[in-house]
Amino acid sequence: MSLSDATARPAAPSRLAGLPVALAALFCLACLVCVIGADWIAPYGEADLVAMPWQAPDLAHPLGTDQLGRDMLSRIIFGARTSIGLSLAIVTLAFAVGGALGLAAVTLGGWADAVISRIVDLFMALPPLVLALLALSVSGTSLVTLTLTAAFIASLRVFRLTRSLGIDIAARDFVDVARLRRDSTARIMWREILPNAAIPLISEFGLRFVFAFLFVASLSFLGLGVQPPMADWGGMVRENVGALNYGRLTPLVPAGFIALLAISVNLIGDWLVARRGGGR
Amino acid sequence: MLVILAKRLAMGIVLVLMASALLFFAGELLPGDFATKLLGSSATPETVEALRRSRGVDAPALARYLQWLGGLFRGDLGTSLTNGREIAPLIATRLKNTLILAGAAALIAVPLAVGLGTLAAIFRNRLFDRAILVLSMVTVATPEFFFAYMAIAVFAVNLHWVPSISIITAGMSFERMLPLLALPVLTLVITSCAHMIRMTRASIVSVMDSDYVGTALLKGLPEWKVVVRHVLPNVMSPIAAVVVLNLADLVVGLIIVEAIFAYPGMGQLMVDSVSKQDITVVQACGLIFAATYILLNMIADLLAIALNPRLRYAR
């Protein structure tokens, strides 16, 4: 699960390449529908005990039941809301903070840039999981800490990218013109630099989303993220691990959904990058 | 070269020191009621105060940081907040277990990944290359626990080849450890290969496409000679750097894999201590993980410089 930003992108798309991307988009769309409408779609409640534990899949429970006898399909739908909603919140926060700081560093330059950059360097030299574990051991397991820590970690990379994109843009003539016009720093940031960095930032949003999503899933899986009885995909893997000993594959259901969503978002991201590259 | 080496080394030391300060002062944010929590609600203020003093929690923060730092150099990692035991001996055995696991995984993953990446580059855009590409896309985006439980379901529950948890005890013989290591190592290998494969393939492809390789082939040099004389020296530097960078990721990936298999290593200890809010153990483990991570990143940097003369004059 090393999510370093691989520079190796897939080769030119072949004729069949469209199909997986379409399926990935469909899956992402279905997940988004679950995020918004979990209450209406889910056949049973998030914490309703409806059958015996670890029941095999049947018509009433297409994905079987979990360790307490709750409907797996409903838990997956509610889990989508928690896992994906949380990750989206984390990435949005990270882009707001990291992006704004990156733009500010470029526009202000000088010591402001140097100070922010050195602090970011320090935190980027540390393994993200260790940072998160430290924060969680200080505050105890809480959704707020989890969100803020994950957003902080993601914002470091967003800052780096925004800054490096911004430096190129800030050196161009139209920014000089704006400076000569005595435009405010904020106006230069938003109206001159940001629009020109938008496209790479959007593709970075997908990457950061996958990272945050897997990060939250891993921490919940360790029992340090989302706490029961709230359903979330990483936590559901942990809760149902015992099923393996009875020959049931229940924990692989949420784990599979996690993998499927991460792969889908990556596929769509790669496709967008390839398309943009081909269009030029 | 020596100047660069000294500079990077100094930077690494500064980073480790700053990491230690971060770890220590984060612990200071912990609400002061630790002793109260440990003793329960029936404790009198006097016993709480006595416990605080016995753990040295009442000296000023900076003094305790320096004391902690000084202790680290003597191999004294302090005592656990929850059970009062010395941390150093506790970590020593677990560090050994972790190194065994990481070493075994790296020993298999690195040659495998470099080999597969090279083959993918040789058979570029053919079926084998495509298959490797799809596989690496899947493994890069799949959490460790998916593969781990998949492996447990197949090899432990259905086939009964190996146990599903890997509790290693002191003095266990190598033959008895082997089946216990199999699944954690397998999981780590699967999840750590993808990035190395992609980067190996990418660096070989970019060199193969270069003009000097084309020229060498056109002047009639046999292909193996082109590979040995022209391709290999130029791909060594990026591949070596990527390999070491991935070892840094592998060390962190260990934390989760150890927790899955209840493997008695540093990662499991750290996760356990986080849920118990045993901050001193978290600090000690965190510092070891952070220092290893920083060290490996530094080695990757230096390797890239040592193997690529062009970088020596870059800055």
Side-chain angles (χ1 to χ4, degrees):
Chain A
M1 205 190 71
S2 110
L3 285 150
S4 328
D5 305 78
T7 47
R9 290 284 178 188
S14 70
R15 262 163 295 159
L16 264 176
L19 185 64
V21 175
L23 288 176
L26 209 63
F27 182 71
C28 290
L29 203 68
C31 286
L32 273 183
V33 170
C34 290
V35 172
I36 299 163
D39 287 311
W40 297 291
I41 302 168
Y44 300 92
E46 188 171 7
D48 289 356
L49 305 179
V50 292
M52 296 301 286
W54 290 328
Q55 213 163 279
D58 57 26
L59 276 179
H61 309 288
L63 295 176
T65 58
D66 75 353
Q67 89 283 10
L68 298 175
R70 295 171 293 194
D71 179 47
M72 265 314 249
L73 179 65
S74 306
R75 299 271 296 167
I76 288 283
I77 293 171
F78 282 107
R81 186 171 68 182
T82 318
S83 302
I84 300 170
L86 201 60
S87 312
L88 282 175
I90 289 167
V91 185
T92 311
L93 194 61
F95 267 75
V97 176
L101 280 177
L103 288 176
V106 170
T107 325
L108 295 170
W111 65 267
D113 182 22
V115 169
I116 306 174
S117 296
R118 286 299 84 72
I119 294 174
V120 169
D121 284 348
L122 165 67
F123 282 103
M124 281 193 72
L126 300 172
L129 190 57
V130 170
L131 277 179
L133 289 179
L134 178 67
L136 288 168
S137 68
V138 169
S139 76
T141 50
S142 91
L143 272 190
V144 178
T145 316
L146 179 70
T147 311
L148 291 181
T149 317
F152 175 72
I153 289 163
S155 72
L156 299 172
R157 281 194 182 277
V158 177
F159 169 82
R160 275 252 178 111
L161 181 72
T162 317
R163 185 179 170 275
S164 68
L165 289 168
I167 278 182
D168 278 349
I169 300 165
R172 295 209 206 140
D173 291 342
F174 57 83
V175 178
D176 283 340
V177 171
R179 282 190 214 276
L180 288 173
R181 256 194 333 247
R182 301 262 175 102
D183 279 4
S184 70
T185 304
R187 198 187 149 82
I188 295 177
M189 276 166 59
W190 294 111
R191 301 297 296 273
E192 309 292 343
I193 296 179
L194 187 61
N196 286 290
I199 290 173
L201 282 178
I202 289 169
S203 68
E204 179 75 3
F205 193 91
L207 263 181
R208 286 305 120 216
F209 171 80
V210 171
F211 190 93
F213 173 72
L214 290 174
F215 198 65
V216 170
S218 296
L219 284 171
S220 294
F221 167 75
L222 291 175
L224 304 170
V226 180
Q227 298 296 314
M230 217 175 168
D232 94 286
W233 292 353
M236 286 169 70
V237 178
R238 175 191 181 81
E239 291 166 0
N240 288 293
V241 161
L244 286 178
N245 294 327
Y246 301 101
R248 292 242 174 280
L249 297 179
T250 323
L252 288 181
V253 175
F257 271 90
I258 294 169
L260 221 52
L261 184 69
I263 294 167
S264 299
V265 176
N266 275 347
L267 259 178
I268 296 171
D270 283 352
W271 177 76
L272 283 176
V273 169
R275 225 176 71 118
R276 194 159 47 84
R280 271 185 196 159
Chain B
M1 187 65 209
L2 266 177
V3 178
I4 295 176
L5 190 78
K7 257 190 193 162
R8 297 287 157 127
L9 212 61
M11 207 167 87
I13 293 172
V14 168
L15 277 176
V16 173
L17 274 178
M18 292 184 95
S20 76
L22 183 75
L23 282 161
F24 184 83
F25 290 105
E28 292 303 303
L29 298 175
L30 194 71
D33 62 350
F34 176 78
T36 342
K37 205 188 260 171
L38 187 68
L39 292 169
S41 51
S42 61
T44 62
E46 288 79 28
T47 46
V48 170
E49 196 47 46
L51 180 74
R52 278 208 190 117
R53 194 164 305 135
S54 76
R55 301 281 164 85
V57 191
D58 61 347
L62 191 65
R64 275 180 296 118
Y65 171 61
L66 293 175
Q67 200 186 352
W68 181 65
L69 205 61
L72 294 182
F73 284 109
R74 296 190 306 270
D76 171 17
L77 298 171
T79 53
S80 156
L81 265 189
T82 44
N83 58 22
R85 294 223 305 260
E86 288 268 324
I87 298 174
L90 182 68
I91 281 188
T93 48
R94 288 181 172 255
L95 187 59
K96 203 186 98 194
N97 290 343
T98 291
L99 288 176
I100 293 173
L101 184 55
L107 225 54
I108 298 172
V110 172
L112 185 70
V114 173
L116 286 176
T118 311
L119 286 176
I122 292 171
F123 298 108
R124 178 155 40 136
N125 293 337
R126 307 248 284 274
L127 189 64
F128 179 79
D129 183 28
R130 296 274 159 150
I132 288 285
L133 183 76
V134 171
L135 270 180
S136 66
M137 263 191 87
V138 170
T139 52
V140 114
T142 307
E144 284 93 345
F145 47 77
F146 181 80
F147 294 115
Y149 289 128
M150 194 84 121
I152 287 178
V154 175
F155 298 113
V157 177
N158 278 323
L159 297 171
H160 297 291
W161 286 357
V162 284
S164 61
I165 52 171
S166 310
I167 298 176
I168 282 178
T169 49
M172 203 178 240
S173 70
F174 184 66
E175 296 87 72
R176 286 190 51 210
M177 259 165 69
L178 219 48
L180 294 174
L181 280 171
L183 293 189
V185 167
L186 179 70
T187 310
L188 278 170
V189 167
I190 291 175
T191 48
S192 62
C193 268
H195 190 231
M196 283 193 276
I197 293 177
R198 279 194 177 194
M199 295 306 285
T200 306
R201 178 190 180 278
S203 20
I204 293 179
V205 162
S206 78
V207 171
M208 295 284 263
D209 281 350
S210 65
D211 289 341
Y212 57 83
V213 170
T215 311
L217 284 171
L218 281 177
K219 78 177 179 191
L221 222 56
E223 208 164 323
W224 67 267
K225 226 172 180 174
V226 175
V227 170
V228 172
R229 292 282 302 278
H230 297 278
V231 178
L232 222 51
N234 284 298
V235 294
M236 280 222 320
S237 138
I239 291 177
V242 162
V243 163
V244 180
L245 272 184
N246 275 278
L247 291 184
D249 282 342
L250 186 121
V251 170
V252 181
L254 268 172
I255 297 179
I256 291 169
V257 173
E258 286 186 357
I260 295 172
F261 292 98
Y263 184 87
M266 294 265 304
Q268 197 227 18
L269 176 69
M270 188 166 177
V271 170
D272 259 11
S273 309
V274 170
S275 47
K276 284 191 287 190
Q277 285 198 283
D278 191 341
I279 187 78
T280 48
V281 180
V282 174
Q283 284 166 335
C285 295
L287 188 60
I288 293 174
F289 277 117
T292 314
Y293 191 79
I294 291 168
L295 181 76
L296 285 171
N297 273 296
M298 196 174 75
I299 293 175
D301 252 18
L302 290 173
L303 265 178
I305 294 169
L307 295 174
N308 187 352
R310 267 169 297 186
L311 285 179
R312 276 175 220 166
Y313 305 100
R315 275 166 235 176

